Amino acid sequence: MLNQGIGSWPTRRARKTPDRVAVIHEDRAWTYREFHQRVLRLAHGLQDVGVVRGDRIAYLGPNHPSFLETLFAAGLLGAVFVPLNNRLTAPELAYNLSDSGSTVLIHAPEQACAARAAADEAGVRHRITLDGSHEGALGYEEVLAGGGTDPLDEPVAPDDPCMIMYTSGTTGRPKGAVLSHANVVWNSVNVLVDTDLGGDEVTLVAAPLFHTAGLNMTCLPTLLKGGRVVLLTAFDATRVLETIENLRVTYMFGVPTMYDAMAAQPRWSTTDLSSLRTLNCGGAPVPARTIATYLARGLAFSQGYGMTEASPGILFLDKEQTSAKAGSAGVPHFFTDTRMVLPDGLDAGPGQRGEILVQGPHVMTGYWNRPEETEAVFADGGWLRTGDVARTDTDGYAYIVDRAKDMFVSGGENVYPAEVEEAVLSHPAVAECAVIGVPDQTWGEVGRAVVVLGPGAHADEPGILDHLHGKLAKYKIPKSVVLTDSLPRTATGKIVKSAVRASYANTPADDPHR
């Protein structure tokens, strides 16, 4: 085949295991033969509306088979897939669409209003809706029905761009990490080697597919291996437990908050979990109490550390080491190399703290249309600078100890303070602002805005938080506001975040309900 990218996977799987079940969603199942036919029809339909090689095709919606169909159809055409976070507001979506230059937006009915507004602002040529045509949009099933079934084999090279996954940065503006087909393939190979997935795998995907972990650490490796993927539209702890029992799920990924919610359900102790072989956890360190709760049911976590720019797997802790290396993120994935580097550029020794650098065939090719930022994030020899700090023990196991960047993780979602601070500063009464992450029993961390009001200005916590609704996704909005007279600054005027944390992050934030 001329297509050496992941767009060829449905074709290859259909000729190898056509009658195996590929995808299950809402009590419907598709074999690899049926899945391949739908991908092929969608690719022809996208061609019919003018999609050509290199075009960007965006997708907005919860977990659904059409997400995967769009990804693979884009790969068949040599186009680039752009998954969008369905928790973003219309202005945030418009920025991602405009920055990527997406020409087509496929979206679920739940996101119709935001999709329409964002697409109009970004100048997207075609909107395609999953529930049928709307004013100014095409219907997804109609596009498939009109698509042909002739074989497609566009020349796609391993180093061609496969997807653009947006990840916010400390500048406050999202950056599009460009993952090549080779990046995605090698990450999948790492997962297959280190997680030992089988062709009989039944993988539950309850984490959002627009996240690199939900897509690249669970779903795609399973499809590559020829297992079946069970898609839940969204995470629901009770539904997850029922699905594990009823469909004999063998593998799933989640963040600690998800696993804690499952263990808190009344039916936790009675659900049959005997089919589970692998529980992968990431997004934040797994608390000791969570590890103990699952070990009591005979279940051990495979833990890991990664980032979007690495497709995302970097470090991996096998489940056999869950107790012996509690708190560790593990060792590098099989085809991955890491270094812990001191500020002077020398490698850190055991016990020393150093920035994590990563190298491997799964590391992104760069940031979309951002050559200067791409150059800045790669150290000498092509090592990707993660901005995270870790120490290693004498066995080489890494422990994440700090973040060189200000980013914090809330319920598995990365929150970047600069973006939030920019929104808070748009309040007319706010003169200065610093956003930090503070401990929270449910979400791990939540945001706290430390605010200085302008001279003679008046504002309170509810008013400032209300100002942010519609400007930021809900998970980015701080859960508390502290008013203060001044913020600690360096001699050059830069806010000293470490001093802000020391003064204002000592106690947990009030229990938020998102």
Side-chain angles (χ1 to χ4, degrees):
M1 294 178 67
L2 298 175
N3 192 323
Q4 300 176 56
I6 73 166
S8 67
W9 287 9
T11 305
R12 298 176 189 275
R13 264 291 147 207
R15 75 186 182 193
K16 194 170 184 67
T17 55
D19 297 320
R20 279 192 198 169
V21 173
V23 180
I24 297 175
H25 178 259
E26 298 292 348
D27 300 321
R28 290 192 60 189
W30 292 264
T31 65
Y32 277 98
R33 178 189 288 109
E34 293 167 333
F35 183 68
H36 164 60
Q37 286 298 308
R38 287 182 62 82
V39 169
L40 187 58
R41 285 186 177 277
L42 178 59
H44 278 288
L46 291 171
Q47 271 190 333
D48 292 341
V49 300
V51 172
V52 297
R53 178 185 179 85
D55 280 356
R56 275 74 67 200
I57 302 171
Y59 186 96
L60 176 66
N63 291 357
H64 191 273
S66 58
F67 180 106
L68 299 174
E69 291 165 359
T70 304
L71 164 65
F72 287 115
L76 265 182
L77 299 175
V80 184
F81 182 62
V82 184
L84 299 174
N85 186 331
N86 60 28
R87 301 178 70 180
L88 299 183
T89 63
E92 293 169 314
L93 293 169
Y95 176 82
N96 289 358
L97 289 169
S98 179
D99 184 73
S100 63
S102 294
T103 58
V104 175
L105 171 60
I106 297 175
H107 66 86
E110 299 93 320
Q111 277 75 44
C113 291
R116 184 183 305 111
D120 288 346
E121 183 177 339
V124 173
R125 290 205 304 261
H126 299 286
R127 274 193 308 113
I128 301 175
T129 66
L130 299 187
D131 63 338
S133 60
H134 292 274
E135 183 179 351
L138 301 170
Y140 184 84
E141 292 298 332
E142 286 76 10
V143 171
L144 262 73
T149 57
D150 292 338
L152 281 173
D153 190 19
E154 294 292 325
V156 176
D159 290 336
D160 286 346
C162 173
M163 63 180 78
I164 300 172
M165 302 198 86
Y166 276 88
T167 176
S168 296
T170 54
T171 60
R173 281 295 195 179
K175 300 188 294 290
V178 181
L179 305 182
S180 69
H181 290 271
N183 292 156
V184 177
V185 169
W186 280 106
N187 183 81
S188 293
V189 171
N190 270 343
V191 174
L192 294 180
V193 171
D194 289 339
T195 310
D196 199 22
L197 296 188
D200 62 344
E201 214 69 52
V202 181
T203 298
L204 178 61
V205 181
L209 283 171
F210 60 74
H211 270 207
T212 183
L215 178 61
N216 292 348
M217 294 299 290
T218 55
C219 186
L220 292 185
T222 301
L223 294 175
L224 175 59
K225 189 65 176 177
R228 68 180 62 182
V229 171
V230 181
L231 296 179
L232 292 189
T233 302
F235 174 77
D236 176 88
T238 299
R239 180 78 184 278
V240 167
L241 292 174
E242 292 174 349
T243 304
I244 292 172
E245 182 174 87
N246 295 336
L247 297 184
R248 308 299 294 162
V249 170
T250 61
Y251 176 46
M252 71 171 286
F253 167 86
V255 299
T257 299
M258 295 165 63
Y259 287 115
D260 286 341
M262 290 163 57
Q265 297 305 305
R267 63 173 295 169
W268 163 253
S269 61
T270 58
T271 300
D272 182 0
L273 304 176
S274 61
S275 62
L276 285 170
R277 297 193 292 240
T278 306
L279 290 178
N280 200 349
C281 191
V286 185
R289 68 178 187 277
T290 307
I291 293 174
T293 298
Y294 278 76
L295 283 176
R297 293 293 318 267
L299 299 168
F301 289 107
S302 299
Q303 302 174 53
Y305 160 80
M307 62 190 303
T308 302
E309 289 89 337
S311 303
I314 296 175
L315 299 168
F316 185 76
L317 181 70
D318 193 84
K319 60 186 177 183
E320 278 76 17
Q321 299 294 327
T322 294
S323 297
K325 297 293 184 180
S328 172
V331 297
H333 275 285
F334 193 85
F335 289 105
T336 304
D337 294 304
T338 61
R339 296 168 57 200
M340 311 302 166
V341 178
L342 300 171
D344 60 8
L346 297 177
D347 287 346
Q352 291 183 301
R353 298 185 175 194
E355 182 183 3
I356 305 169
L357 272 58
V358 58
Q359 190 175 65
H362 55 94
V363 173
M364 70 169 185
T365 61
Y367 292 118
W368 180 257
N369 286 338
R370 293 178 182 245
E372 293 181 359
E373 294 186 51
T374 298
E375 183 178 359
V377 80
F378 282 101
D380 51 22
W383 291 84
L384 175 71
R385 303 188 59 175
T386 68
D388 291 320
V389 177
R391 63 174 175 82
T392 57
D393 62 18
T394 54
D395 296 324
Y397 284 78
Y399 296 76
I400 311 299
V401 296
D402 199 359
R403 297 184 178 104
K405 302 172 183 176
D406 292 329
M407 179 270 290
F408 59 92
V409 180
S410 183
E413 296 271 6
N414 290 350
V415 180
Y416 294 82
E419 181 183 13
V420 182
E421 289 160 0
E422 183 179 2
V424 175
L425 288 167
S426 70
H427 190 291
V430 175
E432 300 174 19
C433 174
V435 172
I436 58 174
V438 296
D440 180 81
Q441 288 188 345
T442 302
W443 303 107
E445 290 178 290
V446 294
R448 174 170 291 169
V450 183
V451 168
V452 177
L453 300 180
H458 299 280
D460 58 13
E461 180 181 65
I464 292 172
L465 295 180
D466 185 67
H467 174 75
L468 301 179
H469 289 282
K471 292 182 172 62
L472 295 170
K474 197 173 181 181
Y475 70 87
K476 298 180 185 178
I477 296 175
K479 299 302 180 273
S480 60
V481 174
V482 176
L483 299 179
T484 186
D485 293 330
S486 63
L487 292 172
R489 293 181 179 272
T490 65
T492 58
K494 184 179 180 180
I495 294 175
V496 183
K497 281 292 183 71
S498 59
V500 176
R501 293 190 191 96
S503 297
Y504 299 103
N506 296 328
T507 58
D510 292 336
D511 185 26
H513 297 284
R514 318 195 198 191

